[in-house]
Amino acid sequence: MIGKGWRGRNATEEKRFPLWLALGGLFVSVFVVTSLDARDHDHERRSRAGVLVFQRMLAADQNIRDKADPLLHIVVYYRSPSEEGRARGLAAELSEKQIKTLTVRASAQRGAGFARPGQRRYAAVYFAEPPPKNDLERPIHFGVSHRIIVFSPFPGHVEMGVLGGLSTEAQVRPYINGRTLERSRIELQSLFLDTSKVLR
């Protein structure tokens, strides 16, 4: 149950949570996708809009520093060869901005195997393209077992168990599967949770 006793409610950590990530990123997201709504399934626009919300979610992870080696390695998932260029572009975009002073290294990876060269530790997974429904459980399980954020900007995925996504009902904001969050034992800042839609 997500309430006042939620693990993410840590007053000391909240003071260090950047306000521009909590509020400014949300307004930027709305600006970038002013015409994005629940009926807009365009991969390009959703995947790019989701990057901003994804970065905010990573910054809200109170244990994100424990997932660095010292770099934050992020997988940008795609499955179609035609989507490789866009996935690489998103990986480059994610690598441009630090998360809590940590340097991000994002890489495009085809398929949901999540091979780890040299046993590299991954800090998060981002979907540049929706996987087949029968293959969605693999990244969900990977995220839960490794206590990392798996994020999909595509409709229906949060309801199916993906931890994070986009809510576009009235405005663009984070959408979180509360059950997956609990299973993953990830601690998110309460300020971030307060500005998110949480599926319980």
Side-chain angles (χ1 to χ4, degrees):
M1 177 178 179
I2 299 176
K4 293 188 179 297
W6 182 249
R7 292 163 64 98
R9 295 190 179 277
N10 185 307
T12 301
E13 282 292 329
E14 284 177 17
K15 292 180 181 178
R16 293 198 290 265
F17 185 64
L19 185 60
W20 71 269
L21 280 168
L23 300 175
L26 179 60
F27 296 143
V28 172
S29 300
V30 175
F31 175 77
V32 171
V33 288
T34 53
S35 62
L36 180 65
D37 58 30
R39 296 169 296 178
D40 189 351
H41 297 167
D42 181 76
H43 292 180
E44 175 73 21
R45 298 172 70 188
R46 277 189 170 269
S47 58
R48 292 200 175 279
V51 164
L52 297 169
V53 177
F54 176 60
Q55 289 171 325
R56 291 179 56 216
M57 186 175 289
L58 290 178
D61 183 346
Q62 296 190 62
N63 297 307
I64 193 66
R65 296 185 185 280
D66 297 336
K67 299 166 187 178
D69 69 352
L71 303 177
L72 282 180
H73 295 282
I74 297 174
V75 175
V76 178
Y77 163 93
Y78 73 99
R79 62 186 176 89
S80 306
S82 61
E83 296 294 324
E84 181 178 359
R86 186 162 59 82
R88 290 185 180 278
L90 290 171
E93 184 177 348
L94 284 167
S95 298
E96 289 176 354
K97 183 175 289 186
Q98 291 185 328
I99 302 295
K100 288 188 172 179
T101 72
L102 297 170
T103 299
V104 174
R105 286 291 180 268
S107 58
Q109 181 170 310
R110 186 181 178 192
F114 303 125
R116 294 186 291 172
Q119 296 301 305
R120 175 183 298 162
R121 182 176 186 178
Y122 290 143
V125 177
Y126 185 84
F127 288 176
E129 181 182 13
K133 288 185 179 180
N134 60 1
D135 206 25
L136 192 58
E137 184 58 35
R138 295 178 67 187
I140 293 174
H141 176 73
F142 183 84
V144 169
S145 61
H146 289 83
R147 298 182 64 181
I148 65 173
I149 292 170
V150 175
F151 188 99
S152 171
F154 305 108
H157 284 178
V158 171
E159 291 85 348
M160 295 174 68
V162 173
L163 193 153
L166 295 179
S167 171
T168 59
E169 293 171 347
Q171 60 183 359
V172 178
R173 61 175 176 154
Y175 188 18
I176 298 171
N177 186 304
R179 183 171 180 273
T180 302
L181 185 64
E182 291 179 347
R183 289 173 57 207
S184 303
R185 293 175 295 160
I186 292 174
E187 302 175 22
L188 294 179
Q189 296 281 358
S190 61
L191 179 58
F192 180 83
L193 287 170
D194 289 342
T195 59
S196 303
K197 175 181 177 180
V198 180
L199 177 67
R200 294 177 170 86

